[in-house]
Coordinates of all heavy atoms in Angstrom, one line a residue:
M1 N -20.3 1.7 20.2 CA -19.8 1.2 19.0 C -18.4 1.8 18.8 O -18.2 3.0 18.9 CB -20.7 1.6 17.8 CG -20.2 1.1 16.5 SD -21.5 1.4 15.3 CE -20.7 0.9 13.9
I2 N -17.4 1.0 18.4 CA -16.1 1.5 18.1 C -16.0 2.0 16.7 O -16.4 1.3 15.8 CB -15.0 0.4 18.3 CG1 -15.1 -0.1 19.8 CG2 -13.6 0.8 17.9 CD1 -14.3 -1.4 20.0
P3 N -15.5 3.2 16.5 CA -15.5 3.8 15.1 C -14.4 3.0 14.3 O -13.4 2.6 14.8 CB -15.0 5.2 15.3 CG -14.4 5.3 16.7 CD -15.0 4.2 17.5
D4 N -14.8 2.8 13.0 CA -13.8 2.2 12.1 C -12.8 3.2 11.7 O -13.1 4.2 11.0 CB -14.6 1.7 10.9 CG -13.7 0.9 9.9 OD1 -12.5 0.7 10.3 OD2 -14.1 0.6 8.8
T5 N -11.6 3.0 12.1 CA -10.5 3.9 11.9 C -9.6 3.5 10.7 O -8.6 4.1 10.5 CB -9.6 4.1 13.1 OG1 -9.1 2.8 13.5 CG2 -10.4 4.7 14.2
A6 N -10.0 2.4 10.0 CA -9.2 2.0 8.9 C -9.3 3.0 7.7 O -10.3 3.5 7.4 CB -9.6 0.6 8.4
R7 N -8.1 3.3 7.2 CA -8.1 4.2 6.0 C -7.4 3.5 4.9 O -6.6 2.6 5.1 CB -7.3 5.5 6.4 CG -8.0 6.2 7.5 CD -7.2 7.5 7.8 NE -7.4 8.5 6.8 CZ -8.5 9.4 6.7 NH1 -9.4 9.3 7.7 NH2 -8.6 10.3 5.8
R8 N -7.8 3.9 3.6 CA -7.1 3.3 2.5 C -6.0 4.2 2.0 O -6.2 5.4 1.9 CB -8.2 3.1 1.4 CG -7.6 2.5 0.1 CD -8.6 1.9 -0.8 NE -9.1 0.7 -0.2 CZ -10.0 -0.1 -0.7 NH1 -10.6 0.2 -1.8 NH2 -10.3 -1.3 -0.1
Y9 N -4.9 3.6 1.7 CA -3.7 4.3 1.2 C -3.3 3.7 -0.2 O -3.3 2.5 -0.4 CB -2.5 4.1 2.2 CG -2.8 4.7 3.5 CD1 -3.5 4.0 4.5 CD2 -2.5 6.1 3.8 CE1 -3.8 4.5 5.7 CE2 -2.8 6.6 5.0 CZ -3.4 5.9 6.0 OH -3.8 6.4 7.2
L10 N -2.9 4.6 -1.0 CA -2.3 4.3 -2.3 C -0.8 4.5 -2.0 O -0.4 5.6 -1.7 CB -2.8 5.2 -3.4 CG -2.3 4.8 -4.8 CD1 -2.9 3.5 -5.3 CD2 -2.6 5.9 -5.8
I11 N 0.0 3.4 -2.2 CA 1.4 3.5 -1.9 C 2.2 3.1 -3.2 O 1.9 2.1 -3.8 CB 1.8 2.5 -0.8 CG1 1.0 2.9 0.5 CG2 3.3 2.5 -0.5 CD1 1.1 1.9 1.6
A12 N 3.1 4.0 -3.5 CA 3.9 3.8 -4.7 C 5.4 4.0 -4.3 O 5.7 4.8 -3.4 CB 3.5 4.8 -5.8
Y13 N 6.3 3.3 -5.0 CA 7.7 3.5 -4.6 C 8.5 3.7 -5.9 O 8.2 3.2 -7.0 CB 8.2 2.4 -3.8 CG 8.0 1.0 -4.4 CD1 8.8 0.5 -5.4 CD2 7.0 0.2 -3.9 CE1 8.6 -0.8 -5.9 CE2 6.8 -1.1 -4.4 CZ 7.6 -1.6 -5.4 OH 7.4 -2.8 -5.9
D14 N 9.6 4.3 -5.7 CA 10.7 4.5 -6.7 C 12.0 4.1 -6.1 O 12.5 4.9 -5.3 CB 10.7 6.0 -7.2 CG 11.7 6.2 -8.3 OD1 12.3 5.2 -8.8 OD2 12.0 7.3 -8.6
I15 N 12.4 2.9 -6.3 CA 13.6 2.3 -5.7 C 14.5 1.7 -6.8 O 14.1 0.8 -7.4 CB 13.2 1.2 -4.7 CG1 12.3 1.8 -3.6 CG2 14.4 0.6 -4.1 CD1 11.7 0.8 -2.6
P16 N 15.6 2.3 -7.0 CA 16.5 1.9 -8.2 C 17.2 0.6 -8.0 O 17.5 -0.1 -9.0 CB 17.5 3.1 -8.3 CG 17.5 3.8 -7.0 CD 16.2 3.5 -6.4
E17 N 17.4 0.2 -6.8 CA 18.2 -1.1 -6.5 C 17.2 -2.3 -6.4 O 16.3 -2.3 -5.6 CB 19.0 -0.9 -5.3 CG 20.2 -1.8 -5.2 CD 19.9 -3.1 -4.5 OE1 19.1 -3.1 -3.6 OE2 20.4 -4.2 -5.0
D18 N 17.5 -3.3 -7.2 CA 16.6 -4.5 -7.3 C 16.3 -5.2 -6.0 O 15.1 -5.5 -5.7 CB 17.2 -5.5 -8.3 CG 17.1 -5.0 -9.7 OD1 16.4 -4.1 -10.0 OD2 17.9 -5.6 -10.5
K19 N 17.3 -5.4 -5.2 CA 17.1 -6.2 -3.9 C 16.2 -5.4 -2.9 O 15.3 -5.9 -2.3 CB 18.4 -6.5 -3.2 CG 19.2 -7.6 -4.0 CD 20.5 -8.0 -3.3 CE 21.2 -9.1 -4.0 NZ 22.5 -9.4 -3.4
R20 N 16.5 -4.1 -2.8 CA 15.7 -3.3 -1.9 C 14.2 -3.2 -2.4 O 13.3 -3.3 -1.7 CB 16.3 -1.9 -1.8 CG 17.5 -1.8 -1.0 CD 17.9 -0.4 -0.5 NE 17.8 0.6 -1.6 CZ 18.9 1.0 -2.3 NH1 20.1 0.4 -2.1 NH2 18.8 1.9 -3.3
R21 N 14.1 -3.0 -3.8 CA 12.8 -2.9 -4.4 C 12.0 -4.2 -4.1 O 10.8 -4.2 -3.8 CB 12.9 -2.6 -5.9 CG 11.6 -2.4 -6.6 CD 11.8 -1.9 -8.0 NE 12.6 -2.7 -8.8 CZ 13.8 -2.4 -9.3 NH1 14.3 -1.2 -9.1 NH2 14.5 -3.2 -10.0
T22 N 12.6 -5.3 -4.3 CA 12.0 -6.6 -4.0 C 11.5 -6.8 -2.6 O 10.4 -7.2 -2.3 CB 12.9 -7.8 -4.4 OG1 13.2 -7.7 -5.8 CG2 12.2 -9.1 -4.2
R23 N 12.4 -6.4 -1.7 CA 12.1 -6.5 -0.2 C 10.9 -5.6 0.1 O 10.0 -6.0 0.9 CB 13.3 -6.2 0.6 CG 14.4 -7.2 0.6 CD 15.4 -7.0 1.7 NE 16.0 -5.7 1.7 CZ 17.2 -5.4 1.2 NH1 17.9 -6.4 0.6 NH2 17.7 -4.2 1.3
V24 N 10.9 -4.4 -0.4 CA 9.8 -3.5 -0.1 C 8.5 -4.0 -0.7 O 7.4 -4.0 -0.1 CB 10.1 -2.0 -0.7 CG1 8.8 -1.2 -0.7 CG2 11.2 -1.4 0.1
A25 N 8.5 -4.6 -1.9 CA 7.3 -5.1 -2.6 C 6.8 -6.3 -1.7 O 5.6 -6.4 -1.5 CB 7.6 -5.6 -4.0
K26 N 7.7 -7.2 -1.2 CA 7.2 -8.3 -0.4 C 6.6 -7.8 0.9 O 5.6 -8.3 1.4 CB 8.4 -9.2 -0.1 CG 8.8 -10.1 -1.3 CD 9.9 -11.0 -0.9 CE 10.3 -11.9 -2.1 NZ 11.4 -12.7 -1.8
C27 N 7.2 -6.7 1.5 CA 6.7 -6.2 2.7 C 5.2 -5.6 2.4 O 4.3 -5.9 3.2 CB 7.6 -5.1 3.2 SG 7.0 -4.2 4.7
L28 N 5.1 -4.8 1.4 CA 3.8 -4.2 1.1 C 2.7 -5.3 0.7 O 1.6 -5.1 1.0 CB 3.9 -3.2 0.0 CG 4.7 -1.9 0.3 CD1 4.9 -1.1 -0.9 CD2 4.0 -1.2 1.4
Q29 N 3.2 -6.4 0.1 CA 2.2 -7.4 -0.2 C 1.6 -8.1 1.0 O 0.5 -8.6 1.0 CB 2.9 -8.5 -1.1 CG 3.1 -8.1 -2.5 CD 3.9 -9.1 -3.3 OE1 4.8 -9.7 -2.8 NE2 3.5 -9.3 -4.5
T30 N 2.3 -8.0 2.2 CA 1.7 -8.5 3.4 C 0.6 -7.6 4.0 O -0.1 -8.0 4.8 CB 2.8 -8.7 4.5 OG1 3.4 -7.5 4.9 CG2 3.9 -9.7 4.0
Y31 N 0.6 -6.3 3.5 CA -0.4 -5.4 4.0 C -1.5 -5.1 3.1 O -2.6 -4.6 3.5 CB 0.3 -4.0 4.3 CG 1.2 -4.1 5.5 CD1 2.5 -4.4 5.5 CD2 0.7 -3.8 6.8 CE1 3.3 -4.5 6.6 CE2 1.4 -3.8 7.9 CZ 2.8 -4.1 7.9 OH 3.5 -4.2 9.0
G32 N -1.3 -5.3 1.8 CA -2.4 -4.9 0.8 C -2.3 -5.6 -0.5 O -1.7 -6.6 -0.7
D33 N -3.0 -4.9 -1.5 CA -3.1 -5.4 -2.8 C -2.1 -4.7 -3.8 O -2.0 -3.5 -3.8 CB -4.5 -5.2 -3.4 CG -5.5 -5.9 -2.5 OD1 -5.3 -7.1 -2.1 OD2 -6.6 -5.3 -2.3
R34 N -1.4 -5.5 -4.6 CA -0.6 -4.9 -5.6 C -1.5 -4.6 -6.8 O -2.1 -5.5 -7.4 CB 0.5 -5.8 -6.0 CG 1.5 -5.2 -7.0 CD 2.6 -6.2 -7.3 NE 3.9 -5.5 -7.4 CZ 5.1 -6.1 -7.2 NH1 5.2 -7.3 -6.9 NH2 6.2 -5.3 -7.3
V35 N -1.6 -3.3 -7.2 CA -2.4 -2.9 -8.4 C -1.6 -2.5 -9.6 O -2.2 -2.5 -10.7 CB -3.4 -1.8 -8.0 CG1 -4.4 -2.3 -6.9 CG2 -2.7 -0.6 -7.5
Q36 N -0.4 -2.2 -9.4 CA 0.5 -2.0 -10.5 C 1.9 -2.5 -10.1 O 2.1 -2.9 -8.9 CB 0.6 -0.5 -10.8 CG -0.6 0.1 -11.4 CD -0.9 -0.2 -12.8 OE1 -0.1 0.0 -13.7 NE2 -2.1 -0.8 -13.0
Y37 N 2.9 -2.5 -11.0 CA 4.2 -3.1 -10.6 C 4.7 -2.5 -9.3 O 5.2 -3.2 -8.5 CB 5.2 -2.9 -11.8 CG 6.5 -3.6 -11.5 CD1 6.5 -5.0 -11.6 CD2 7.6 -2.9 -11.1 CE1 7.7 -5.6 -11.3 CE2 8.8 -3.5 -10.9 CZ 8.8 -4.9 -10.9 OH 10.0 -5.6 -10.7
S38 N 4.7 -1.2 -9.2 CA 5.2 -0.5 -8.0 C 4.2 0.3 -7.2 O 4.5 1.2 -6.5 CB 6.4 0.4 -8.3 OG 6.0 1.4 -9.2
V39 N 2.9 -0.1 -7.3 CA 1.8 0.6 -6.7 C 0.9 -0.4 -5.9 O 0.5 -1.5 -6.5 CB 0.9 1.3 -7.7 CG1 -0.2 2.1 -7.0 CG2 1.8 2.3 -8.5
F40 N 0.6 -0.1 -4.7 CA -0.2 -0.9 -3.8 C -1.3 -0.1 -3.2 O -1.2 1.1 -3.1 CB 0.7 -1.5 -2.6 CG 1.7 -2.5 -3.0 CD1 2.9 -2.1 -3.7 CD2 1.5 -3.8 -2.8 CE1 3.8 -3.1 -4.0 CE2 2.4 -4.8 -3.2 CZ 3.6 -4.4 -3.8
V41 N -2.4 -0.9 -2.9 CA -3.5 -0.3 -2.2 C -3.5 -1.0 -0.8 O -3.6 -2.3 -0.8 CB -4.9 -0.5 -2.9 CG1 -6.0 -0.1 -2.0 CG2 -4.9 0.3 -4.2
V42 N -3.5 -0.3 0.2 CA -3.4 -0.8 1.6 C -4.5 -0.2 2.4 O -4.7 1.0 2.5 CB -2.1 -0.6 2.2 CG1 -2.1 -1.0 3.7 CG2 -0.9 -1.3 1.4
D43 N -5.3 -1.1 3.1 CA -6.3 -0.6 4.1 C -5.6 -0.9 5.5 O -5.2 -2.0 5.8 CB -7.6 -1.4 4.0 CG -8.3 -1.1 2.7 OD1 -8.0 -0.1 2.0 OD2 -9.2 -1.9 2.4
A44 N -5.5 0.2 6.3 CA -4.8 0.0 7.5 C -5.3 1.0 8.6 O -5.7 2.1 8.3 CB -3.3 0.3 7.3
K45 N -5.4 0.4 9.8 CA -5.7 1.3 10.9 C -4.4 2.0 11.3 O -3.3 1.6 10.9 CB -6.2 0.4 12.1 CG -7.6 -0.1 11.7 CD -8.2 -0.9 12.9 CE -9.6 -1.4 12.5 NZ -10.2 -2.1 13.6
P46 N -4.5 3.0 12.2 CA -3.2 3.8 12.5 C -2.1 2.9 13.0 O -0.9 3.2 12.6 CB -3.7 4.8 13.6 CG -5.2 5.0 13.3 CD -5.7 3.6 12.8
A47 N -2.3 2.0 13.9 CA -1.2 1.2 14.4 C -0.5 0.3 13.3 O 0.7 0.2 13.2 CB -1.7 0.2 15.5
A48 N -1.4 -0.2 12.4 CA -0.8 -1.0 11.3 C 0.0 -0.1 10.3 O 1.0 -0.5 9.8 CB -1.9 -1.7 10.5
L49 N -0.5 1.1 10.1 CA 0.2 2.0 9.3 C 1.6 2.4 9.9 O 2.6 2.4 9.1 CB -0.6 3.3 9.0 CG 0.1 4.3 8.1 CD1 0.2 3.7 6.7 CD2 -0.7 5.6 8.1
V50 N 1.7 2.5 11.2 CA 3.0 2.8 11.8 C 3.9 1.6 11.6 O 5.1 1.7 11.2 CB 2.8 3.1 13.3 CG1 4.1 3.1 14.0 CG2 2.1 4.4 13.5
R51 N 3.4 0.4 11.8 CA 4.2 -0.8 11.6 C 4.7 -0.9 10.1 O 5.8 -1.3 9.9 CB 3.4 -2.1 11.9 CG 3.2 -2.3 13.4 CD 2.6 -3.7 13.8 NE 1.4 -4.0 13.1 CZ 0.2 -3.8 13.6 NH1 0.1 -3.2 14.8 NH2 -0.9 -4.1 12.9
L52 N 3.8 -0.6 9.2 CA 4.1 -0.6 7.8 C 5.3 0.4 7.5 O 6.3 0.1 6.8 CB 2.9 -0.3 6.9 CG 3.1 -0.3 5.4 CD1 1.8 -0.6 4.7 CD2 3.6 1.1 4.9
K53 N 5.1 1.6 8.0 CA 6.2 2.6 7.8 C 7.5 2.2 8.4 O 8.6 2.4 7.8 CB 5.7 3.9 8.4 CG 4.6 4.6 7.6 CD 4.2 5.9 8.3 CE 3.2 6.7 7.5 NZ 2.9 8.0 8.2
V54 N 7.5 1.6 9.6 CA 8.7 1.1 10.2 C 9.3 0.0 9.4 O 10.5 0.0 9.1 CB 8.5 0.7 11.6 CG1 9.7 -0.1 12.2 CG2 8.1 1.9 12.5
A55 N 8.5 -0.9 8.9 CA 9.0 -2.1 8.1 C 9.6 -1.6 6.8 O 10.7 -2.0 6.4 CB 7.9 -3.1 7.9
V56 N 8.9 -0.7 6.1 CA 9.4 -0.2 4.8 C 10.6 0.7 5.0 O 11.6 0.6 4.3 CB 8.3 0.6 4.1 CG1 8.8 1.3 2.9 CG2 7.2 -0.4 3.6
G57 N 10.6 1.5 6.1 CA 11.7 2.4 6.3 C 13.0 1.6 6.6 O 14.1 2.0 6.3
A58 N 12.8 0.4 7.2 CA 14.0 -0.4 7.5 C 14.6 -1.1 6.2 O 15.8 -1.5 6.2 CB 13.6 -1.5 8.5
E59 N 13.8 -1.1 5.2 CA 14.3 -1.8 3.9 C 14.9 -0.8 2.9 O 15.6 -1.2 2.0 CB 13.1 -2.5 3.3 CG 12.5 -3.6 4.1 CD 13.5 -4.7 4.4 OE1 14.5 -4.8 3.7 OE2 13.2 -5.5 5.3
I60 N 14.6 0.5 3.0 CA 15.0 1.4 2.0 C 16.3 2.2 2.3 O 16.6 2.3 3.5 CB 13.9 2.4 1.6 CG1 13.6 3.4 2.8 CG2 12.6 1.7 1.2 CD1 12.7 4.5 2.4
N61 N 16.9 2.7 1.3 CA 18.0 3.7 1.5 C 17.4 5.1 1.5 O 16.9 5.5 0.4 CB 19.0 3.5 0.4 CG 20.2 4.5 0.5 OD1 20.0 5.6 0.9 ND2 21.3 4.0 0.0
L62 N 17.4 5.7 2.6 CA 16.7 7.0 2.7 C 17.3 8.1 1.8 O 16.6 9.1 1.5 CB 16.8 7.5 4.2 CG 16.0 6.6 5.2 CD1 16.3 7.1 6.6 CD2 14.6 6.5 4.9
E63 N 18.5 7.9 1.3 CA 19.1 8.9 0.4 C 18.8 8.7 -1.0 O 18.8 9.6 -1.8 CB 20.7 8.8 0.6 CG 21.2 9.1 2.0 CD 20.9 10.5 2.5 OE1 21.0 11.4 1.6 OE2 20.5 10.7 3.6
E64 N 18.4 7.4 -1.4 CA 18.2 7.1 -2.8 C 16.7 6.7 -3.1 O 16.3 7.0 -4.3 CB 19.0 5.9 -3.2 CG 20.5 6.1 -3.2 CD 21.3 4.9 -3.6 OE1 20.7 4.0 -4.1 OE2 22.5 4.9 -3.4
D65 N 16.0 6.2 -2.2 CA 14.7 5.6 -2.5 C 13.6 6.6 -2.0 O 13.8 7.4 -1.2 CB 14.5 4.3 -1.7 CG 15.6 3.3 -2.1 OD1 16.2 3.4 -3.2 OD2 15.9 2.4 -1.2
S66 N 12.4 6.4 -2.7 CA 11.3 7.2 -2.3 C 10.0 6.3 -2.3 O 9.8 5.5 -3.2 CB 11.1 8.3 -3.4 OG 9.9 9.0 -3.1
V67 N 9.2 6.4 -1.2 CA 8.0 5.7 -1.1 C 6.9 6.7 -0.8 O 7.0 7.5 0.2 CB 8.1 4.7 0.1 CG1 6.7 4.0 0.2 CG2 9.2 3.7 -0.2
L68 N 5.9 6.8 -1.6 CA 4.8 7.7 -1.5 C 3.6 7.0 -0.9 O 3.2 5.9 -1.3 CB 4.4 8.2 -2.9 CG 3.1 9.0 -3.0 CD1 3.2 10.4 -2.4 CD2 2.6 9.1 -4.5
L69 N 3.0 7.7 0.1 CA 1.8 7.2 0.8 C 0.7 8.2 0.6 O 0.9 9.4 1.1 CB 2.0 6.9 2.3 CG 2.9 5.7 2.6 CD1 4.4 6.2 2.8 CD2 2.5 5.1 3.9
C70 N -0.3 7.9 -0.1 CA -1.4 8.8 -0.4 C -2.7 8.3 0.4 O -3.2 7.2 0.1 CB -1.7 8.9 -1.9 SG -3.0 10.0 -2.3
D71 N -3.2 9.1 1.3 CA -4.3 8.8 2.1 C -5.6 9.0 1.3 O -5.9 10.2 0.9 CB -4.3 9.6 3.4 CG -5.5 9.3 4.3 OD1 -6.4 8.5 3.9 OD2 -5.4 9.7 5.5
L72 N -6.3 7.9 1.0 CA -7.5 8.1 0.1 C -8.8 8.2 1.0 O -9.9 8.4 0.4 CB -7.7 6.8 -0.8 CG -6.5 6.6 -1.7 CD1 -6.7 5.3 -2.5 CD2 -6.4 7.8 -2.7
G73 N -8.6 8.1 2.3 CA -9.8 8.3 3.2 C -10.2 7.1 3.9 O -9.6 6.0 3.7
P74 N -11.3 7.2 4.8 CA -11.8 6.1 5.5 C -12.3 5.0 4.6 O -13.0 5.2 3.6 CB -12.9 6.7 6.4 CG -12.7 8.1 6.3 CD -12.0 8.5 5.1
V75 N -11.9 3.7 4.9 CA -12.3 2.6 4.1 C -13.9 2.5 4.1 O -14.5 2.2 3.1 CB -11.7 1.3 4.7 CG1 -12.3 0.1 4.0 CG2 -10.2 1.3 4.6
S76 N -14.5 2.8 5.2 CA -16.0 2.7 5.3 C -16.7 3.6 4.4 O -17.9 3.3 4.0 CB -16.4 2.9 6.7 OG -16.1 4.2 7.2
S77 N -16.1 4.7 3.9 CA -16.8 5.6 3.0 C -16.4 5.5 1.6 O -16.8 6.3 0.7 CB -16.6 7.1 3.5 OG -15.2 7.4 3.4
L78 N -15.5 4.6 1.3 CA -15.0 4.5 -0.1 C -15.9 3.6 -1.0 O -16.5 2.7 -0.5 CB -13.6 3.8 -0.1 CG -12.5 4.6 0.5 CD1 -11.2 3.8 0.5 CD2 -12.3 5.9 -0.3
E79 N -16.0 4.0 -2.2 CA -16.8 3.2 -3.1 C -15.9 2.6 -4.1 O -14.8 3.1 -4.4 CB -17.7 4.2 -4.0 CG -18.7 5.0 -3.1 CD -19.4 6.1 -3.9 OE1 -19.3 6.0 -5.2 OE2 -20.0 6.9 -3.3
E80 N -16.2 1.4 -4.5 CA -15.4 0.7 -5.5 C -15.2 1.4 -6.8 O -14.2 1.3 -7.4 CB -16.0 -0.7 -5.8 CG -15.9 -1.7 -4.6 CD -14.5 -1.9 -4.1 OE1 -13.6 -2.0 -4.9 OE2 -14.3 -1.8 -2.9
S81 N -16.1 2.3 -7.1 CA -16.0 3.1 -8.4 C -14.9 4.1 -8.3 O -14.6 4.7 -9.3 CB -17.3 3.8 -8.7 OG -17.6 4.7 -7.7
K82 N -14.3 4.3 -7.2 CA -13.1 5.2 -7.1 C -11.9 4.7 -7.8 O -11.0 5.4 -8.2 CB -12.8 5.4 -5.6 CG -13.8 6.1 -4.8 CD -13.5 7.5 -4.6 CE -14.6 8.1 -3.7 NZ -14.6 9.5 -3.7
F83 N -11.9 3.4 -8.1 CA -10.8 2.8 -8.8 C -11.3 2.4 -10.2 O -12.3 1.7 -10.3 CB -10.2 1.5 -8.1 CG -9.5 1.9 -6.8 CD1 -10.1 1.9 -5.6 CD2 -8.1 2.2 -6.9 CE1 -9.4 2.2 -4.5 CE2 -7.5 2.5 -5.7 CZ -8.1 2.5 -4.5
S84 N -10.6 2.8 -11.2 CA -10.9 2.4 -12.5 C -9.6 2.2 -13.3 O -8.5 2.7 -12.9 CB -11.7 3.4 -13.3 OG -11.1 4.6 -13.4
F85 N -9.6 1.3 -14.2 CA -8.4 1.0 -15.0 C -8.7 1.2 -16.5 O -9.8 1.1 -16.9 CB -8.0 -0.5 -14.8 CG -7.6 -0.8 -13.4 CD1 -8.5 -1.1 -12.4 CD2 -6.2 -0.8 -13.0 CE1 -8.1 -1.4 -11.1 CE2 -5.8 -1.1 -11.8 CZ -6.7 -1.4 -10.8
I86 N -7.6 1.5 -17.2 CA -7.6 1.4 -18.6 C -6.8 0.2 -19.0 O -5.6 0.2 -18.6 CB -7.1 2.7 -19.2 CG1 -7.9 3.9 -18.8 CG2 -7.0 2.6 -20.8 CD1 -7.3 5.3 -19.2
G87 N -7.3 -0.7 -19.7 CA -6.6 -1.9 -20.0 C -7.0 -3.0 -18.9 O -8.0 -2.9 -18.3
R88 N -6.0 -3.9 -18.7 CA -6.3 -5.0 -17.7 C -6.4 -4.4 -16.3 O -5.6 -3.6 -15.9 CB -5.1 -5.9 -17.8 CG -5.3 -7.2 -16.9 CD -4.2 -8.2 -17.2 NE -2.9 -7.7 -17.0 CZ -2.2 -8.0 -15.9 NH1 -2.7 -8.8 -15.0 NH2 -1.0 -7.6 -15.7
D89 N -7.4 -4.8 -15.6 CA -7.6 -4.3 -14.2 C -6.9 -5.3 -13.2 O -6.6 -6.4 -13.6 CB -9.1 -4.1 -13.9 CG -9.9 -5.4 -13.8 OD1 -9.3 -6.4 -14.3 OD2 -11.0 -5.4 -13.3
R90 N -6.8 -4.8 -12.0 CA -6.2 -5.6 -10.9 C -7.2 -5.6 -9.8 O -7.9 -4.5 -9.5 CB -4.9 -4.9 -10.4 CG -3.8 -4.9 -11.5 CD -3.3 -6.3 -11.7 NE -2.2 -6.2 -12.8 CZ -0.9 -6.3 -12.5 NH1 -0.5 -6.5 -11.3 NH2 -0.1 -6.3 -13.4
P91 N -7.4 -6.7 -9.2 CA -8.4 -6.7 -8.1 C -8.0 -5.9 -6.9 O -6.8 -5.9 -6.5 CB -8.5 -8.2 -7.7 CG -7.2 -8.8 -8.2 CD -6.8 -8.0 -9.4
V92 N -8.9 -5.3 -6.3 CA -8.7 -4.5 -5.0 C -9.6 -5.1 -4.0 O -10.8 -5.3 -4.3 CB -9.0 -3.0 -5.2 CG1 -8.9 -2.3 -3.9 CG2 -8.1 -2.4 -6.3
T93 N -9.1 -5.4 -2.8 CA -9.9 -6.0 -1.8 C -11.1 -5.1 -1.5 O -11.0 -3.9 -1.4 CB -9.1 -6.1 -0.5 OG1 -7.9 -6.9 -0.8 CG2 -9.9 -6.8 0.6
P94 N -12.3 -5.8 -1.4 CA -13.5 -5.0 -1.2 C -13.4 -4.3 0.2 O -12.6 -4.7 1.0 CB -14.6 -6.0 -1.2 CG -14.0 -7.3 -1.8 CD -12.6 -7.2 -1.6
N95 N -14.3 -3.3 0.4 CA -14.4 -2.6 1.7 C -14.9 -3.5 2.8 O -16.1 -3.4 3.1 CB -15.2 -1.3 1.5 CG -14.7 -0.4 0.5 OD1 -13.5 -0.5 0.1 ND2 -15.5 0.6 0.2
E96 N -14.1 -4.3 3.3 CA -14.5 -5.2 4.4 C -13.4 -5.1 5.4 O -12.3 -4.6 5.2 CB -14.7 -6.6 3.9 CG -15.8 -6.8 2.9 CD -15.8 -8.2 2.3 OE1 -14.9 -9.0 2.6 OE2 -16.7 -8.5 1.5
A97 N -13.8 -5.6 6.6 CA -12.8 -5.6 7.7 C -11.6 -6.4 7.3 O -11.7 -7.5 6.8 CB -13.4 -6.1 9.0
I98 N -10.4 -5.8 7.6 CA -9.1 -6.5 7.4 C -8.4 -6.4 8.7 O -8.2 -5.4 9.2 CB -8.3 -5.9 6.2 CG1 -9.1 -6.0 4.9 CG2 -6.9 -6.5 6.1 CD1 -8.4 -5.3 3.8
I99 N -7.9 -7.6 9.1 CA -7.1 -7.6 10.4 C -5.7 -7.7 10.0 O -5.2 -8.5 9.3 CB -7.5 -8.8 11.2 CG1 -9.0 -8.7 11.5 CG2 -6.7 -8.9 12.4 CD1 -9.6 -10.0 12.2
L100 N -4.9 -6.7 10.5 CA -3.5 -6.6 10.2 C -2.7 -6.7 11.5 O -3.1 -6.3 12.5 CB -3.1 -5.3 9.5 CG -3.7 -5.1 8.2 CD1 -3.3 -3.7 7.6 CD2 -3.2 -6.1 7.2

């Protein structure tokens, strides 16, 4: 049996320039769920995470922009109750296999 190596990441960015911010948001939308204006949840295996980092890195200004990647752990061990909202909630993809 092949171990499930997908991990869940909370990704947030602080990008002051509109065009770069829009390009980064579009890039992240191809990998995961937008849960806040500048916050995404992404489930990715190591190779997909590398591709994501390269793609985002190509869009940002390394001197001005900041992108935070927080590893929340293996997707297979996460419970939906780990995410809660105050106010309107945003859907997060269930813990199922995602092909990136």
